[in-house]
Amino acid sequence: MDSFECQACGPVDVRDPFSPFCPGCGEPLFVSRPERSGRRAIREHAESAIEKFLDFLPLSAFDAKLSLGEGNTPLLPLNCLGPRTGLSRVFAKNEAQNPTGSFKDRGTAVAVQKAVASGVKSIGTVSTGNMAASTAAYGARAGLETFVLLKEGTPAAALQASGIYGPHLITVDGDYGALFHKSLEIGKRLGISFMNSIDPFRIEGYKVTGYEIFLQLGRRAPRFILVPLSSGGHLLGLMRAFEDLEREGMIADYPTFVGVQALGCAPLVQAFEAGRPTYERLKETRTIAHAISNPAPPAGNATLRMIRARAGRLVAVSDEEMLEAQRELAAKEGLFCQAESATTVAALKKLAGGGVIGPGDEAVLVLTGSGSKTPPASGPSLFRVHRMSLTDLDSQLFGLLTSKM
Ligand SMILES: Cc1ncc(COP(=O)(O)O)c(C=O)c1O
Ligand SMILES: [Zn+2]
């Protein structure tokens, strides 16, 4: 039996399995770290990412039938952008290489393992994009009846990205923040397990990214880890991973985490800069970064608390900065991520420019999602198309060649 705890109230005796919130204060719940007699071991030779770190997860076994091969994503040195920002060691953890193109698969994979092991027959999620596709795919894999609730007006491409897996696809007219809470109420009544952005088992799944970074760097923590921030689930998972490693005595220094929001929707950055313990819900948002545009992040206060406790930072970048970073990552490094993920590059530039991150500091940017699912927001003027005819193609190409033979 798993036990749960709240940052503010400590261990929680009775938990509603259909709610991710503490019954006492309404903040998110986390799975408590079990007391263990022996040390936790990393099964380095296991093929599956989850199995490798099973000792650190609330799973008694790994059911390979439910997996889509999530995780084990590359940690790539940014050989061009690193030196451009004056840093010699910058890496991208490319989460776009997950089965449905985003980090969400790691969380969904663990939540679905847990759901199936507990006899759950139907699952659901409330999402604008990545989590919808991820939940629909894992639901299909596990043979679960899956409900995907999306905002009315969701573009056709986003509907298709999850619809193809055959869930009940439902668009809902009304306030998106209220829908999150309503889904939990309905889930409890109808027996549908809604694994939304801050589900405690989803957060456990996100920890695996942190363990992988540790292994990929040769069993070390980097100095900085930069992550796009919306609900707070992902960042909290990564931070908990390094706490686990710290508790096991596996790392000497805890990394500095940087959560990055879009300037047009930055309730947590605003609270952080003002020194407030809780954030204020925004009345309106204005950003192209829809995947991280959340005016009332459900784990917002927990994120503020944890970032402060571990001397992290929260920063905001503009739409222009993230779009430029998205183009640079693609054109200079061959990595096409979502604009939301490129916020990490824009933040790195800002912090390196301001002297917060120094030339000798090692930084890891978590590229959370693939750009190929969502077309670049700035449209076709992004690149020039040359028009040529077949007859003079060779001379025209020669004209373009910068390094003439
Ligand atoms: C591409 C991408 N990056 C970052 C995030 C933010 O993650 P979280 O809501 O766990 O903070 C999301 C959330 O949907 C996302 O889709
Ligand atoms: Zn509480």
Side-chain angles (χ1 to χ4, degrees):
M1 262 286 276
D2 298 303
S3 38
F4 295 84
E5 65 195 23
C6 162
Q7 278 180 351
C9 313
V12 166
D13 296 334
V14 187
R15 178 221 173 207
D16 174 357
F18 292 96
S19 170
F21 296 113
C22 169
C25 72
E27 292 292 320
L29 286 178
F30 300 95
V31 181
S32 304
R33 293 173 175 93
E35 297 295 330
R36 280 182 189 257
S37 40
R39 295 188 73 77
R40 291 167 208 246
I42 299 175
R43 299 170 172 85
E44 227 170 309
H45 301 292
E47 212 173 288
S48 139
I50 292 179
E51 207 172 5
K52 233 178 244 176
F53 303 103
L54 205 58
D55 276 7
F56 293 79
L57 297 170
L59 298 172
S60 48
F62 168 69
D63 184 346
K65 292 194 301 298
L66 308 175
S67 170
L68 287 166
E70 56 287 334
N72 286 322
T73 59
L75 185 72
L76 302 164
L78 297 185
N79 297 321
C80 180
L81 289 188
R84 272 191 175 201
T85 45
L87 272 72
S88 50
R89 288 175 67 79
V90 180
F91 295 88
K93 180 69 173 156
N94 191 15
E95 291 298 287
Q97 283 189 223
N98 274 298
T100 72
S102 86
F103 75 97
K104 298 282 185 185
D105 291 337
R106 295 180 182 269
T108 313
V110 167
V112 164
Q113 291 273 338
K114 201 73 202 174
V116 171
S118 345
V120 166
K121 298 282 180 271
S122 10
I123 59 169
T125 199
V126 172
S127 166
T128 48
N130 285 326
M131 200 161 51
S134 178
T135 307
Y138 280 84
R141 178 82 175 165
L144 297 169
E145 187 167 19
T146 306
F147 294 79
V148 172
L149 307 185
L150 299 119
K151 214 165 34 176
E152 180 67 49
T154 298
L159 293 175
Q160 280 162 12
S162 40
I164 188 72
Y165 299 108
H168 298 290
L169 203 57
I170 300 143
T171 64
V172 185
D173 193 8
D175 177 67
Y176 188 66
L179 178 60
F180 182 101
H181 294 279
K182 186 96 179 186
S183 73
L184 302 171
E185 275 169 45
I186 297 174
K188 188 175 168 73
R189 212 167 323 122
L190 304 183
I192 304 166
S193 179
F194 271 88
M195 32 188 78
N196 295 342
S197 54
I198 61 154
D199 177 85
F201 296 114
R202 176 178 286 288
I203 292 178
E204 289 295 297
Y206 296 156
K207 295 196 310 188
V208 175
T209 312
Y211 307 141
E212 285 180 12
I213 293 171
F214 161 78
L215 276 191
Q216 286 167 314
L217 287 177
R219 293 186 175 250
R220 277 190 306 109
R223 183 74 189 78
F224 286 90
I225 300 182
L226 290 84
V227 191
L229 170 63
S230 180
S231 70
H234 188 211
L235 178 60
L236 288 168
L238 288 164
M239 293 187 82
R240 286 174 63 79
F242 282 89
E243 283 196 344
D244 288 348
L245 296 170
E246 193 179 47
R247 278 165 190 244
E248 294 297 314
M250 290 176 167
I251 53 168
D253 298 302
Y254 191 82
T256 302
F257 278 89
V258 180
V260 193
Q261 295 203 293
L263 205 53
C265 181
L268 305 184
V269 177
Q270 285 169 12
F272 181 74
E273 288 178 350
R276 290 195 306 265
T278 55
Y279 73 88
E280 276 168 25
R281 186 196 171 101
L282 297 183
K283 291 200 179 58
E284 62 173 55
T285 61
R286 201 180 285 255
T287 174
I288 52 104
H290 298 294
I292 55 167
S293 177
N294 191 335
N301 295 336
T303 303
L304 283 169
R305 193 182 291 112
M306 183 113 164
I307 280 283
R308 286 204 175 98
R310 304 296 331 213
R313 286 180 170 257
L314 299 182
V315 298
V317 300
S318 69
D319 285 3
E320 293 71 32
E321 287 168 326
M322 70 179 89
L323 287 171
E324 188 194 320
Q326 183 190 36
R327 284 193 291 271
E328 275 183 335
L329 266 173
K332 301 294 175 197
E333 302 285 358
L335 292 169
F336 181 25
C337 67
Q338 284 184 234
E340 288 85 346
S341 310
T343 54
T344 52
V345 176
L348 180 77
K349 286 189 197 169
K350 214 164 238 183
L351 296 177
V356 175
I357 302 185
D361 289 334
E362 189 172 54
V364 171
L365 316 179
V366 186
L367 303 186
T368 45
S370 165
S372 48
K373 280 203 292 188
T374 37
S378 43
S381 60
L382 208 72
F383 36 80
R384 182 168 165 207
V385 180
H386 302 274
R387 308 204 62 155
M388 298 179 186
S389 71
L390 194 57
T391 40
D392 54 6
L393 189 59
D394 58 354
S395 63
Q396 297 227 21
L397 281 189
F398 186 71
L400 280 182
L401 199 63
T402 42
S403 56
K404 307 276 193 254
M405 292 166 288

